[in-house]
Amino acid sequence: MCFVDHPAWTDLASDYTYEELCQGSNLKNPPEIQLDMEQDEAGLQEIGRWGEHIVYQYLLQQKDNDPDIVEVKWCNAENEIGSPYDMELSRKTDSGIVKTFIEVKTTLTDDKDVFEISSQQIQFAKEHRENFHIYRVFNAGDQERVRLVRINNLSLRMDQKQVRLWMMI
């Protein structure tokens, strides 16, 4: 019988560093959402929705400062639609309009490096490679400590073993 003191993924340091985007009061706090800090399903949905709101507001600010961004769409603005991403960013390029798909993962803490991702999201990341990113919101609900980071091209990061997947049962 083999016993491990702590999960294996806590020993693995990634060669990839998140791209820090914004933090603290530079991010627009969602006033209409009251976070339920309970870890039940309703509480987790509110935490996720809070993070999506933060990312949506951040992307709108980017759109205001970048004339090549033509649209920011929050796919789950009304209801969770079950797609493998939460937002679409459309940008003008020399070859036409290119869409970037964004999945938002939110946590209440600053040090939670693991998060759930579906097989549908992994497949979508493989299909859309450089056009699929994960935006990570840390310290949800704490306007002073909230932090937003991005993992560009999740598929490439997995291929290069800079991001690793683990299975839990």
Side-chain angles (χ1 to χ4, degrees):
M1 192 177 262
C2 179
F3 293 99
V4 178
D5 292 338
H6 55 278
W9 57 81
T10 61
D11 289 335
L12 296 174
S14 174
D15 294 333
Y16 179 67
T17 304
Y18 298 134
E19 181 180 357
E20 294 276 348
L21 299 177
C22 200
Q23 62 185 11
S25 59
N26 294 324
L27 289 164
K28 217 172 189 179
N29 195 19
E32 75 279 1
I33 299 175
Q34 293 296 318
L35 285 182
D36 176 3
M37 300 304 189
E38 297 296 318
Q39 294 294 318
D40 61 10
E41 188 63 32
L44 292 175
Q45 287 177 356
E46 284 301 303
I47 292 165
R49 186 147 185 80
W50 195 91
E52 288 180 20
H53 189 281
I54 287 279
V55 171
Y56 181 67
Q57 292 300 319
Y58 172 81
L59 293 173
L60 290 177
Q61 288 175 333
Q62 297 305 300
K63 181 179 183 284
D64 289 345
N65 297 322
D66 184 346
D68 290 336
I69 298 175
V70 294
E71 183 182 21
V72 176
K73 181 180 175 186
W74 184 3
C75 303
N76 300 325
E78 299 298 318
N79 295 310
E80 175 64 44
I81 62 171
S83 71
Y85 56 91
D86 299 311
M87 300 187 191
E88 294 176 14
L89 180 92
S90 298
R91 180 185 301 276
K92 278 188 291 188
T93 67
D94 292 338
S95 58
I97 302 293
V98 173
K99 286 189 179 186
T100 299
F101 305 96
I102 298 164
E103 173 61 18
V104 180
K105 299 294 185 181
T106 306
T107 183
L108 293 171
T109 67
D110 194 40
D111 58 355
K112 185 177 178 189
D113 294 330
V114 296
F115 55 86
E116 188 175 328
I117 188 165
S118 71
S119 60
Q120 182 186 20
Q121 289 168 330
I122 293 178
Q123 181 62 36
F124 195 84
K126 288 287 188 188
E127 291 169 4
H128 294 276
R129 303 202 54 86
E130 66 274 358
N131 296 325
F132 182 82
H133 307 304
I134 292 189
Y135 280 57
R136 195 81 166 100
V137 179
F138 293 94
N139 300 314
D142 185 340
Q143 185 56 31
E144 296 305 313
R145 294 181 56 232
V146 65
R147 186 167 62 100
L148 178 61
V149 301
R150 175 175 53 208
I151 302 170
N152 286 326
N153 193 345
L154 178 64
S155 183
L156 175 67
R157 303 296 169 211
M158 289 186 301
D159 291 347
Q160 294 177 342
K161 298 189 184 341
Q162 295 170 336
V163 173
R164 293 191 171 108
L165 299 177
W166 295 88
M167 185 179 295
M168 265 178 34
I169 54 172

PDB file of all heavy atoms in Angstrom, residues 7 12 14-15 33 46 48 74 78-79 90 96 124 158 166:
ATOM      1  N   PRO A   7      -1.109  15.904  -2.471  1.00  0.00           N
ATOM      2  CA  PRO A   7      -1.342  15.598  -3.890  1.00  0.00           C
ATOM      3  C   PRO A   7      -0.085  15.816  -4.735  1.00  0.00           C
ATOM      4  O   PRO A   7       0.680  16.754  -4.490  1.00  0.00           O
ATOM      5  CB  PRO A   7      -2.435  16.592  -4.294  1.00  0.00           C
ATOM      6  CG  PRO A   7      -3.064  17.027  -3.021  1.00  0.00           C
ATOM      7  CD  PRO A   7      -2.004  16.930  -1.972  1.00  0.00           C
ATOM      8  N   LEU A  12       4.719  19.945  -8.545  1.00  0.00           N
ATOM      9  CA  LEU A  12       5.088  20.282  -9.907  1.00  0.00           C
ATOM     10  C   LEU A  12       5.033  21.785 -10.128  1.00  0.00           C
ATOM     11  O   LEU A  12       3.997  22.412  -9.977  1.00  0.00           O
ATOM     12  CB  LEU A  12       4.143  19.592 -10.895  1.00  0.00           C
ATOM     13  CG  LEU A  12       4.210  18.070 -10.871  1.00  0.00           C
ATOM     14  CD1 LEU A  12       3.136  17.494 -11.765  1.00  0.00           C
ATOM     15  CD2 LEU A  12       5.576  17.605 -11.317  1.00  0.00           C
ATOM     16  N   SER A  14       5.291  24.705 -12.816  1.00  0.00           N
ATOM     17  CA  SER A  14       5.151  24.889 -14.247  1.00  0.00           C
ATOM     18  C   SER A  14       6.229  25.833 -14.773  1.00  0.00           C
ATOM     19  O   SER A  14       6.647  26.758 -14.087  1.00  0.00           O
ATOM     20  CB  SER A  14       3.768  25.472 -14.541  1.00  0.00           C
ATOM     21  OG  SER A  14       3.661  25.783 -15.901  1.00  0.00           O
ATOM     22  N   ASP A  15       6.669  25.579 -15.994  1.00  0.00           N
ATOM     23  CA  ASP A  15       7.594  26.494 -16.656  1.00  0.00           C
ATOM     24  C   ASP A  15       6.852  27.702 -17.219  1.00  0.00           C
ATOM     25  O   ASP A  15       7.458  28.664 -17.638  1.00  0.00           O
ATOM     26  CB  ASP A  15       8.301  25.784 -17.816  1.00  0.00           C
ATOM     27  CG  ASP A  15       9.206  24.671 -17.331  1.00  0.00           C
ATOM     28  OD1 ASP A  15       9.682  24.752 -16.186  1.00  0.00           O
ATOM     29  OD2 ASP A  15       9.421  23.728 -18.101  1.00  0.00           O
ATOM     30  N   ILE A  33     -24.040  41.501  -7.961  1.00  0.00           N
ATOM     31  CA  ILE A  33     -23.905  40.108  -7.553  1.00  0.00           C
ATOM     32  C   ILE A  33     -23.427  40.049  -6.110  1.00  0.00           C
ATOM     33  O   ILE A  33     -22.386  40.591  -5.765  1.00  0.00           O
ATOM     34  CB  ILE A  33     -22.926  39.348  -8.476  1.00  0.00           C
ATOM     35  CG1 ILE A  33     -23.455  39.359  -9.908  1.00  0.00           C
ATOM     36  CG2 ILE A  33     -22.726  37.930  -7.991  1.00  0.00           C
ATOM     37  CD1 ILE A  33     -22.517  38.756 -10.919  1.00  0.00           C
ATOM     38  N   GLU A  46     -22.555  31.496  -8.324  1.00  0.00           N
ATOM     39  CA  GLU A  46     -22.421  32.935  -8.096  1.00  0.00           C
ATOM     40  C   GLU A  46     -20.962  33.378  -8.162  1.00  0.00           C
ATOM     41  O   GLU A  46     -20.656  34.433  -8.705  1.00  0.00           O
ATOM     42  CB  GLU A  46     -23.044  33.346  -6.758  1.00  0.00           C
ATOM     43  CG  GLU A  46     -24.548  33.397  -6.791  1.00  0.00           C
ATOM     44  CD  GLU A  46     -25.090  34.371  -7.836  1.00  0.00           C
ATOM     45  OE1 GLU A  46     -24.745  35.568  -7.781  1.00  0.00           O
ATOM     46  OE2 GLU A  46     -25.843  33.926  -8.712  1.00  0.00           O
ATOM     47  N   GLY A  48     -18.619  31.895  -9.921  1.00  0.00           N
ATOM     48  CA  GLY A  48     -18.284  31.848 -11.343  1.00  0.00           C
ATOM     49  C   GLY A  48     -18.856  33.025 -12.104  1.00  0.00           C
ATOM     50  O   GLY A  48     -18.186  33.629 -12.952  1.00  0.00           O
ATOM     51  N   TRP A  74     -20.591  38.233 -24.170  1.00  0.00           N
ATOM     52  CA  TRP A  74     -20.690  37.387 -22.973  1.00  0.00           C
ATOM     53  C   TRP A  74     -21.793  36.383 -23.257  1.00  0.00           C
ATOM     54  O   TRP A  74     -22.979  36.689 -23.162  1.00  0.00           O
ATOM     55  CB  TRP A  74     -20.998  38.237 -21.755  1.00  0.00           C
ATOM     56  CG  TRP A  74     -21.041  37.515 -20.448  1.00  0.00           C
ATOM     57  CD1 TRP A  74     -20.789  36.196 -20.199  1.00  0.00           C
ATOM     58  CD2 TRP A  74     -21.356  38.092 -19.180  1.00  0.00           C
ATOM     59  NE1 TRP A  74     -20.917  35.922 -18.866  1.00  0.00           N
ATOM     60  CE2 TRP A  74     -21.273  37.073 -18.216  1.00  0.00           C
ATOM     61  CE3 TRP A  74     -21.709  39.366 -18.769  1.00  0.00           C
ATOM     62  CZ2 TRP A  74     -21.530  37.283 -16.875  1.00  0.00           C
ATOM     63  CZ3 TRP A  74     -21.960  39.584 -17.432  1.00  0.00           C
ATOM     64  CH2 TRP A  74     -21.869  38.551 -16.492  1.00  0.00           C
ATOM     65  N   GLU A  78     -27.209  36.078 -19.886  1.00  0.00           N
ATOM     66  CA  GLU A  78     -28.566  35.836 -19.375  1.00  0.00           C
ATOM     67  C   GLU A  78     -28.641  34.532 -18.585  1.00  0.00           C
ATOM     68  O   GLU A  78     -29.153  34.497 -17.484  1.00  0.00           O
ATOM     69  CB  GLU A  78     -29.562  35.784 -20.542  1.00  0.00           C
ATOM     70  CG  GLU A  78     -29.628  37.076 -21.345  1.00  0.00           C
ATOM     71  CD  GLU A  78     -30.094  38.253 -20.511  1.00  0.00           C
ATOM     72  OE1 GLU A  78     -31.032  38.084 -19.707  1.00  0.00           O
ATOM     73  OE2 GLU A  78     -29.509  39.348 -20.665  1.00  0.00           O
ATOM     74  N   ASN A  79     -28.149  33.465 -19.175  1.00  0.00           N
ATOM     75  CA  ASN A  79     -28.184  32.126 -18.563  1.00  0.00           C
ATOM     76  C   ASN A  79     -26.961  31.344 -19.009  1.00  0.00           C
ATOM     77  O   ASN A  79     -26.416  31.596 -20.087  1.00  0.00           O
ATOM     78  CB  ASN A  79     -29.430  31.340 -19.014  1.00  0.00           C
ATOM     79  CG  ASN A  79     -30.706  31.959 -18.527  1.00  0.00           C
ATOM     80  OD1 ASN A  79     -30.846  32.263 -17.349  1.00  0.00           O
ATOM     81  ND2 ASN A  79     -31.646  32.169 -19.435  1.00  0.00           N
ATOM     82  N   SER A  90     -14.076  39.378 -30.752  1.00  0.00           N
ATOM     83  CA  SER A  90     -13.870  39.455 -32.203  1.00  0.00           C
ATOM     84  C   SER A  90     -12.933  40.609 -32.508  1.00  0.00           C
ATOM     85  O   SER A  90     -13.143  41.732 -32.045  1.00  0.00           O
ATOM     86  CB  SER A  90     -15.203  39.671 -32.924  1.00  0.00           C
ATOM     87  OG  SER A  90     -16.069  38.582 -32.680  1.00  0.00           O
ATOM     88  N   GLY A  96      -9.273  39.308 -42.006  1.00  0.00           N
ATOM     89  CA  GLY A  96     -10.694  39.313 -41.657  1.00  0.00           C
ATOM     90  C   GLY A  96     -10.898  39.350 -40.150  1.00  0.00           C
ATOM     91  O   GLY A  96      -9.986  39.677 -39.395  1.00  0.00           O
ATOM     92  N   PHE A 124     -12.346  21.469 -27.386  1.00  0.00           N
ATOM     93  CA  PHE A 124     -12.488  22.789 -28.016  1.00  0.00           C
ATOM     94  C   PHE A 124     -11.130  23.503 -28.058  1.00  0.00           C
ATOM     95  O   PHE A 124     -10.771  24.106 -29.072  1.00  0.00           O
ATOM     96  CB  PHE A 124     -13.525  23.624 -27.257  1.00  0.00           C
ATOM     97  CG  PHE A 124     -13.997  24.825 -28.014  1.00  0.00           C
ATOM     98  CD1 PHE A 124     -15.023  24.721 -28.943  1.00  0.00           C
ATOM     99  CD2 PHE A 124     -13.420  26.068 -27.798  1.00  0.00           C
ATOM    100  CE1 PHE A 124     -15.457  25.835 -29.646  1.00  0.00           C
ATOM    101  CE2 PHE A 124     -13.845  27.183 -28.495  1.00  0.00           C
ATOM    102  CZ  PHE A 124     -14.868  27.069 -29.419  1.00  0.00           C
ATOM    103  N   MET A 158      -0.621  22.733 -22.913  1.00  0.00           N
ATOM    104  CA  MET A 158      -0.712  21.314 -22.548  1.00  0.00           C
ATOM    105  C   MET A 158       0.328  20.509 -23.323  1.00  0.00           C
ATOM    106  O   MET A 158       1.009  19.653 -22.752  1.00  0.00           O
ATOM    107  CB  MET A 158      -2.120  20.780 -22.810  1.00  0.00           C
ATOM    108  CG  MET A 158      -3.156  21.305 -21.846  1.00  0.00           C
ATOM    109  SD  MET A 158      -4.801  20.555 -22.015  1.00  0.00           S
ATOM    110  CE  MET A 158      -5.243  20.937 -23.692  1.00  0.00           C
ATOM    111  N   TRP A 166      -4.917  16.526 -14.581  1.00  0.00           N
ATOM    112  CA  TRP A 166      -4.942  15.458 -13.596  1.00  0.00           C
ATOM    113  C   TRP A 166      -6.342  14.896 -13.511  1.00  0.00           C
ATOM    114  O   TRP A 166      -7.306  15.614 -13.712  1.00  0.00           O
ATOM    115  CB  TRP A 166      -4.521  15.989 -12.218  1.00  0.00           C
ATOM    116  CG  TRP A 166      -3.110  16.459 -12.192  1.00  0.00           C
ATOM    117  CD1 TRP A 166      -2.664  17.701 -12.493  1.00  0.00           C
ATOM    118  CD2 TRP A 166      -1.968  15.684 -11.893  1.00  0.00           C
ATOM    119  NE1 TRP A 166      -1.307  17.750 -12.383  1.00  0.00           N
ATOM    120  CE2 TRP A 166      -0.852  16.528 -12.012  1.00  0.00           C
ATOM    121  CE3 TRP A 166      -1.771  14.363 -11.518  1.00  0.00           C
ATOM    122  CZ2 TRP A 166       0.441  16.089 -11.770  1.00  0.00           C
ATOM    123  CZ3 TRP A 166      -0.490  13.933 -11.272  1.00  0.00           C
ATOM    124  CH2 TRP A 166       0.609  14.782 -11.411  1.00  0.00           C
TER     125      TRP A 166
END
